[in-house]
Structure formats: structure tokens, C-alpha cells
Amino acid sequence: MHLFIQFYKDAYILDEDFNSYKSGLNLAPLIELCETEGRQVIYEKDDYLIHQGDTERHISLVKSGYCRYVGLRSDGEEALVGLAFAGEFAVDFNNGVRHAPSMVSIIASTRVELLQLNLDYALSRILEAESDFLYKASDSLFLMCYRRLLDLYVLTPAERYIQFAKSYPEIVSKIKAKELASYLQISHQHLLRIKRSLAKENI
């Protein structure tokens, strides 16, 4: 087991983007469609784009601010599972495509400006030009989620934080500490202890 963990760390290739699904897709046509036909919408901090259990009907291109994807724990607390920043899409894609209830809520973490389109309409337009877009999108999302799952099981909380902070320093400086702790699946206090320990080690 020790050898496997070391191999995993040595072989790890950092994703250029936090939302690495983008690297496997040509999103330019979808971005252009949102920019030319999308409806400008403003959500204030902590407004819901979609509630868990509702059906996703829109695809939203974030122009400013950022959104968080959350599920609810049994005690009612949020578990942060994803983020969408400017230039990215805020949408529960897989469930929206299947017209299934959303498994997450998407919430504005700051005041957010979006360009919003009906999801079915946007997909119909994109599929006219690229018939295998849904396959590519699902494959890219799977690879991103699989990597995050491996990180959760293989890396310690401190290693997950170090990896995240080195890979995405702009995100660490932008999001709330409680959001980062929730994403790393540790308490806010544990995150503070990790930061203090690393500061003493000058990491």
C-alpha cells in the first residue's frame, strides 16, 4: 500500500484548471451562444441558482463572481463539492440533460453576473454542430470526478491542501476558508491547524 501511495504521488500530474473537464471539450461555440443569445441575470450572495431536488433548466455562463455546488449533510450543513468561476458554466449538467432531479444546489457565493440560456435549447444548438458533444462532456466530467475521488482516498488532508494550494493559489485567495475546508472534507479548525503546521515548516 505504501508503494502504491508513493507511486500515485510521483505520477500525479497537476490539472491546469480546477474544472479540468474544460480541457477535453471545445466550449467556444457554447460560450459564444451564451454571449450572443443569453439573458443577463444577477444573483446576489447566497441566492440559489437551483435547489437540490429541482430539475435543471438553464445553463449559466459566469461572467463575474463565483458559485458553489453543495449537497446537504444529515445535520443540514453544506458539503461543498464544486465551484464555478468567471468564464465557466454553472449547471448540474448530467442531471439536467436527463431531466432528473438535481443532486446538488448551486449557490452564488458572491454577487454573480450570469448569461443564462435554456439548457435544452443550448444543447440542441451545440449538437447540430457537434453530434458527439454529450459523450465528450460526460467523459470529461467522469475523468475529473475520478481524479478527485482518488485524491480523497489516497491523499491525507494536509496533502490535499498542499496540492490544492500549489495548483490553484488564485482560488485559495478568492474563496472563503470554510468553503475550502468543506471541499477538502475537513473542519475549518483542522484547516487552520494544517496551515499553522505548514507555516512552521515553511511550506
PDB file of all heavy atoms in Angstrom, residues 129-149:
ATOM      1  N   ALA A 129     -23.987  21.069 -34.425  1.00  0.00           N
ATOM      2  CA  ALA A 129     -22.627  21.268 -34.945  1.00  0.00           C
ATOM      3  C   ALA A 129     -21.677  20.161 -34.517  1.00  0.00           C
ATOM      4  O   ALA A 129     -20.702  19.864 -35.219  1.00  0.00           O
ATOM      5  CB  ALA A 129     -22.097  22.626 -34.479  1.00  0.00           C
ATOM      6  N   GLU A 130     -21.936  19.548 -33.358  1.00  0.00           N
ATOM      7  CA  GLU A 130     -21.025  18.526 -32.827  1.00  0.00           C
ATOM      8  C   GLU A 130     -21.871  17.418 -32.214  1.00  0.00           C
ATOM      9  O   GLU A 130     -22.245  17.480 -31.044  1.00  0.00           O
ATOM     10  CB  GLU A 130     -20.087  19.135 -31.783  1.00  0.00           C
ATOM     11  CG  GLU A 130     -18.970  18.216 -31.364  1.00  0.00           C
ATOM     12  CD  GLU A 130     -17.958  18.907 -30.450  1.00  0.00           C
ATOM     13  OE1 GLU A 130     -18.079  20.127 -30.226  1.00  0.00           O
ATOM     14  OE2 GLU A 130     -17.054  18.214 -29.962  1.00  0.00           O
ATOM     15  N   SER A 131     -22.150  16.401 -32.994  1.00  0.00           N
ATOM     16  CA  SER A 131     -23.116  15.375 -32.592  1.00  0.00           C
ATOM     17  C   SER A 131     -22.667  14.550 -31.393  1.00  0.00           C
ATOM     18  O   SER A 131     -23.496  13.979 -30.686  1.00  0.00           O
ATOM     19  CB  SER A 131     -23.420  14.448 -33.771  1.00  0.00           C
ATOM     20  OG  SER A 131     -22.238  13.791 -34.206  1.00  0.00           O
ATOM     21  N   ASP A 132     -21.363  14.454 -31.157  1.00  0.00           N
ATOM     22  CA  ASP A 132     -20.872  13.639 -30.035  1.00  0.00           C
ATOM     23  C   ASP A 132     -20.510  14.498 -28.818  1.00  0.00           C
ATOM     24  O   ASP A 132     -19.771  14.052 -27.935  1.00  0.00           O
ATOM     25  CB  ASP A 132     -19.669  12.808 -30.461  1.00  0.00           C
ATOM     26  CG  ASP A 132     -18.495  13.653 -30.938  1.00  0.00           C
ATOM     27  OD1 ASP A 132     -18.672  14.878 -31.133  1.00  0.00           O
ATOM     28  OD2 ASP A 132     -17.408  13.079 -31.129  1.00  0.00           O
ATOM     29  N   PHE A 133     -21.052  15.705 -28.735  1.00  0.00           N
ATOM     30  CA  PHE A 133     -20.717  16.606 -27.627  1.00  0.00           C
ATOM     31  C   PHE A 133     -21.095  16.006 -26.284  1.00  0.00           C
ATOM     32  O   PHE A 133     -20.326  16.096 -25.320  1.00  0.00           O
ATOM     33  CB  PHE A 133     -21.414  17.955 -27.799  1.00  0.00           C
ATOM     34  CG  PHE A 133     -21.149  18.922 -26.687  1.00  0.00           C
ATOM     35  CD1 PHE A 133     -19.983  19.677 -26.677  1.00  0.00           C
ATOM     36  CD2 PHE A 133     -22.038  19.061 -25.623  1.00  0.00           C
ATOM     37  CE1 PHE A 133     -19.717  20.564 -25.639  1.00  0.00           C
ATOM     38  CE2 PHE A 133     -21.780  19.935 -24.579  1.00  0.00           C
ATOM     39  CZ  PHE A 133     -20.615  20.692 -24.598  1.00  0.00           C
ATOM     40  N   LEU A 134     -22.252  15.376 -26.184  1.00  0.00           N
ATOM     41  CA  LEU A 134     -22.690  14.816 -24.905  1.00  0.00           C
ATOM     42  C   LEU A 134     -21.744  13.714 -24.433  1.00  0.00           C
ATOM     43  O   LEU A 134     -21.431  13.622 -23.242  1.00  0.00           O
ATOM     44  CB  LEU A 134     -24.113  14.270 -25.015  1.00  0.00           C
ATOM     45  CG  LEU A 134     -25.233  15.304 -25.077  1.00  0.00           C
ATOM     46  CD1 LEU A 134     -26.581  14.612 -25.176  1.00  0.00           C
ATOM     47  CD2 LEU A 134     -25.196  16.207 -23.848  1.00  0.00           C
ATOM     48  N   TYR A 135     -21.286  12.881 -25.362  1.00  0.00           N
ATOM     49  CA  TYR A 135     -20.339  11.824 -24.997  1.00  0.00           C
ATOM     50  C   TYR A 135     -19.043  12.443 -24.478  1.00  0.00           C
ATOM     51  O   TYR A 135     -18.516  12.031 -23.434  1.00  0.00           O
ATOM     52  CB  TYR A 135     -20.049  10.933 -26.196  1.00  0.00           C
ATOM     53  CG  TYR A 135     -18.862  10.019 -25.971  1.00  0.00           C
ATOM     54  CD1 TYR A 135     -18.989   8.867 -25.191  1.00  0.00           C
ATOM     55  CD2 TYR A 135     -17.606  10.333 -26.500  1.00  0.00           C
ATOM     56  CE1 TYR A 135     -17.901   8.051 -24.950  1.00  0.00           C
ATOM     57  CE2 TYR A 135     -16.513   9.517 -26.261  1.00  0.00           C
ATOM     58  CZ  TYR A 135     -16.667   8.379 -25.493  1.00  0.00           C
ATOM     59  OH  TYR A 135     -15.572   7.581 -25.244  1.00  0.00           O
ATOM     60  N   LYS A 136     -18.520  13.428 -25.180  1.00  0.00           N
ATOM     61  CA  LYS A 136     -17.272  14.057 -24.773  1.00  0.00           C
ATOM     62  C   LYS A 136     -17.426  14.753 -23.426  1.00  0.00           C
ATOM     63  O   LYS A 136     -16.526  14.697 -22.574  1.00  0.00           O
ATOM     64  CB  LYS A 136     -16.814  15.060 -25.832  1.00  0.00           C
ATOM     65  CG  LYS A 136     -16.360  14.421 -27.137  1.00  0.00           C
ATOM     66  CD  LYS A 136     -15.945  15.499 -28.137  1.00  0.00           C
ATOM     67  CE  LYS A 136     -15.454  14.883 -29.438  1.00  0.00           C
ATOM     68  NZ  LYS A 136     -15.093  15.934 -30.441  1.00  0.00           N
ATOM     69  N   ALA A 137     -18.573  15.417 -23.240  1.00  0.00           N
ATOM     70  CA  ALA A 137     -18.801  16.122 -21.974  1.00  0.00           C
ATOM     71  C   ALA A 137     -18.875  15.141 -20.810  1.00  0.00           C
ATOM     72  O   ALA A 137     -18.259  15.352 -19.757  1.00  0.00           O
ATOM     73  CB  ALA A 137     -20.080  16.940 -22.061  1.00  0.00           C
ATOM     74  N   SER A 138     -19.609  14.048 -20.992  1.00  0.00           N
ATOM     75  CA  SER A 138     -19.731  13.052 -19.925  1.00  0.00           C
ATOM     76  C   SER A 138     -18.383  12.417 -19.613  1.00  0.00           C
ATOM     77  O   SER A 138     -18.039  12.185 -18.446  1.00  0.00           O
ATOM     78  CB  SER A 138     -20.733  11.969 -20.323  1.00  0.00           C
ATOM     79  OG  SER A 138     -22.033  12.508 -20.449  1.00  0.00           O
ATOM     80  N   ASP A 139     -17.592  12.140 -20.646  1.00  0.00           N
ATOM     81  CA  ASP A 139     -16.282  11.535 -20.449  1.00  0.00           C
ATOM     82  C   ASP A 139     -15.357  12.484 -19.694  1.00  0.00           C
ATOM     83  O   ASP A 139     -14.648  12.072 -18.765  1.00  0.00           O
ATOM     84  CB  ASP A 139     -15.677  11.176 -21.804  1.00  0.00           C
ATOM     85  CG  ASP A 139     -14.364  10.411 -21.672  1.00  0.00           C
ATOM     86  OD1 ASP A 139     -14.367   9.349 -21.022  1.00  0.00           O
ATOM     87  OD2 ASP A 139     -13.347  10.872 -22.217  1.00  0.00           O
ATOM     88  N   SER A 140     -15.373  13.759 -20.054  1.00  0.00           N
ATOM     89  CA  SER A 140     -14.514  14.746 -19.395  1.00  0.00           C
ATOM     90  C   SER A 140     -14.920  14.943 -17.937  1.00  0.00           C
ATOM     91  O   SER A 140     -14.062  15.046 -17.049  1.00  0.00           O
ATOM     92  CB  SER A 140     -14.587  16.083 -20.143  1.00  0.00           C
ATOM     93  OG  SER A 140     -14.033  15.968 -21.436  1.00  0.00           O
ATOM     94  N   LEU A 141     -16.219  14.982 -17.682  1.00  0.00           N
ATOM     95  CA  LEU A 141     -16.689  15.126 -16.307  1.00  0.00           C
ATOM     96  C   LEU A 141     -16.327  13.901 -15.467  1.00  0.00           C
ATOM     97  O   LEU A 141     -15.941  14.020 -14.301  1.00  0.00           O
ATOM     98  CB  LEU A 141     -18.202  15.351 -16.291  1.00  0.00           C
ATOM     99  CG  LEU A 141     -18.664  16.737 -16.747  1.00  0.00           C
ATOM    100  CD1 LEU A 141     -20.170  16.743 -16.995  1.00  0.00           C
ATOM    101  CD2 LEU A 141     -18.295  17.797 -15.710  1.00  0.00           C
ATOM    102  N   PHE A 142     -16.426  12.716 -16.079  1.00  0.00           N
ATOM    103  CA  PHE A 142     -16.069  11.490 -15.360  1.00  0.00           C
ATOM    104  C   PHE A 142     -14.594  11.496 -14.965  1.00  0.00           C
ATOM    105  O   PHE A 142     -14.239  11.163 -13.827  1.00  0.00           O
ATOM    106  CB  PHE A 142     -16.373  10.255 -16.211  1.00  0.00           C
ATOM    107  CG  PHE A 142     -15.804   8.985 -15.639  1.00  0.00           C
ATOM    108  CD1 PHE A 142     -16.449   8.335 -14.593  1.00  0.00           C
ATOM    109  CD2 PHE A 142     -14.612   8.457 -16.120  1.00  0.00           C
ATOM    110  CE1 PHE A 142     -15.915   7.184 -14.038  1.00  0.00           C
ATOM    111  CE2 PHE A 142     -14.079   7.303 -15.575  1.00  0.00           C
ATOM    112  CZ  PHE A 142     -14.725   6.657 -14.530  1.00  0.00           C
ATOM    113  N   LEU A 143     -13.717  11.859 -15.892  1.00  0.00           N
ATOM    114  CA  LEU A 143     -12.285  11.862 -15.596  1.00  0.00           C
ATOM    115  C   LEU A 143     -11.958  12.837 -14.476  1.00  0.00           C
ATOM    116  O   LEU A 143     -11.143  12.543 -13.596  1.00  0.00           O
ATOM    117  CB  LEU A 143     -11.493  12.216 -16.863  1.00  0.00           C
ATOM    118  CG  LEU A 143     -11.482  11.159 -17.965  1.00  0.00           C
ATOM    119  CD1 LEU A 143     -10.794  11.698 -19.213  1.00  0.00           C
ATOM    120  CD2 LEU A 143     -10.807   9.879 -17.496  1.00  0.00           C
ATOM    121  N   MET A 144     -12.604  14.007 -14.490  1.00  0.00           N
ATOM    122  CA  MET A 144     -12.367  14.996 -13.438  1.00  0.00           C
ATOM    123  C   MET A 144     -12.830  14.457 -12.086  1.00  0.00           C
ATOM    124  O   MET A 144     -12.108  14.541 -11.086  1.00  0.00           O
ATOM    125  CB  MET A 144     -13.102  16.295 -13.758  1.00  0.00           C
ATOM    126  CG  MET A 144     -12.916  17.392 -12.711  1.00  0.00           C
ATOM    127  SD  MET A 144     -13.838  18.901 -13.095  1.00  0.00           S
ATOM    128  CE  MET A 144     -15.510  18.353 -12.707  1.00  0.00           C
ATOM    129  N   CYS A 145     -14.020  13.891 -12.053  1.00  0.00           N
ATOM    130  CA  CYS A 145     -14.562  13.376 -10.794  1.00  0.00           C
ATOM    131  C   CYS A 145     -13.763  12.177 -10.286  1.00  0.00           C
ATOM    132  O   CYS A 145     -13.574  12.006  -9.075  1.00  0.00           O
ATOM    133  CB  CYS A 145     -16.031  12.999 -10.974  1.00  0.00           C
ATOM    134  SG  CYS A 145     -17.108  14.424 -11.245  1.00  0.00           S
ATOM    135  N   TYR A 146     -13.269  11.351 -11.206  1.00  0.00           N
ATOM    136  CA  TYR A 146     -12.482  10.180 -10.806  1.00  0.00           C
ATOM    137  C   TYR A 146     -11.176  10.611 -10.154  1.00  0.00           C
ATOM    138  O   TYR A 146     -10.761  10.050  -9.129  1.00  0.00           O
ATOM    139  CB  TYR A 146     -12.220   9.295 -12.021  1.00  0.00           C
ATOM    140  CG  TYR A 146     -11.537   7.982 -11.702  1.00  0.00           C
ATOM    141  CD1 TYR A 146     -12.075   7.110 -10.764  1.00  0.00           C
ATOM    142  CD2 TYR A 146     -10.347   7.616 -12.340  1.00  0.00           C
ATOM    143  CE1 TYR A 146     -11.453   5.904 -10.466  1.00  0.00           C
ATOM    144  CE2 TYR A 146      -9.726   6.420 -12.041  1.00  0.00           C
ATOM    145  CZ  TYR A 146     -10.281   5.565 -11.113  1.00  0.00           C
ATOM    146  OH  TYR A 146      -9.656   4.378 -10.818  1.00  0.00           O
ATOM    147  N   ARG A 147     -10.537  11.617 -10.725  1.00  0.00           N
ATOM    148  CA  ARG A 147      -9.297  12.124 -10.129  1.00  0.00           C
ATOM    149  C   ARG A 147      -9.567  12.672  -8.730  1.00  0.00           C
ATOM    150  O   ARG A 147      -8.803  12.424  -7.785  1.00  0.00           O
ATOM    151  CB  ARG A 147      -8.699  13.206 -11.033  1.00  0.00           C
ATOM    152  CG  ARG A 147      -7.542  14.013 -10.422  1.00  0.00           C
ATOM    153  CD  ARG A 147      -6.393  13.163  -9.908  1.00  0.00           C
ATOM    154  NE  ARG A 147      -5.803  12.320 -10.900  1.00  0.00           N
ATOM    155  CZ  ARG A 147      -4.905  12.716 -11.803  1.00  0.00           C
ATOM    156  NH1 ARG A 147      -4.531  13.975 -11.851  1.00  0.00           N
ATOM    157  NH2 ARG A 147      -4.404  11.853 -12.661  1.00  0.00           N
ATOM    158  N   ARG A 148     -10.653  13.403  -8.575  1.00  0.00           N
ATOM    159  CA  ARG A 148     -10.975  13.959  -7.257  1.00  0.00           C
ATOM    160  C   ARG A 148     -11.297  12.851  -6.256  1.00  0.00           C
ATOM    161  O   ARG A 148     -10.962  12.959  -5.073  1.00  0.00           O
ATOM    162  CB  ARG A 148     -12.142  14.939  -7.375  1.00  0.00           C
ATOM    163  CG  ARG A 148     -11.770  16.199  -8.152  1.00  0.00           C
ATOM    164  CD  ARG A 148     -12.920  17.172  -8.263  1.00  0.00           C
ATOM    165  NE  ARG A 148     -12.541  18.352  -9.036  1.00  0.00           N
ATOM    166  CZ  ARG A 148     -13.346  19.368  -9.302  1.00  0.00           C
ATOM    167  NH1 ARG A 148     -14.596  19.336  -8.853  1.00  0.00           N
ATOM    168  NH2 ARG A 148     -12.920  20.403 -10.013  1.00  0.00           N
ATOM    169  N   LEU A 149     -11.935  11.789  -6.715  1.00  0.00           N
ATOM    170  CA  LEU A 149     -12.228  10.655  -5.839  1.00  0.00           C
ATOM    171  C   LEU A 149     -10.944   9.992  -5.371  1.00  0.00           C
ATOM    172  O   LEU A 149     -10.786   9.668  -4.187  1.00  0.00           O
ATOM    173  CB  LEU A 149     -13.112   9.648  -6.571  1.00  0.00           C
ATOM    174  CG  LEU A 149     -13.512   8.394  -5.784  1.00  0.00           C
ATOM    175  CD1 LEU A 149     -14.442   8.751  -4.639  1.00  0.00           C
ATOM    176  CD2 LEU A 149     -14.181   7.375  -6.710  1.00  0.00           C
TER     177      LEU A 149
END
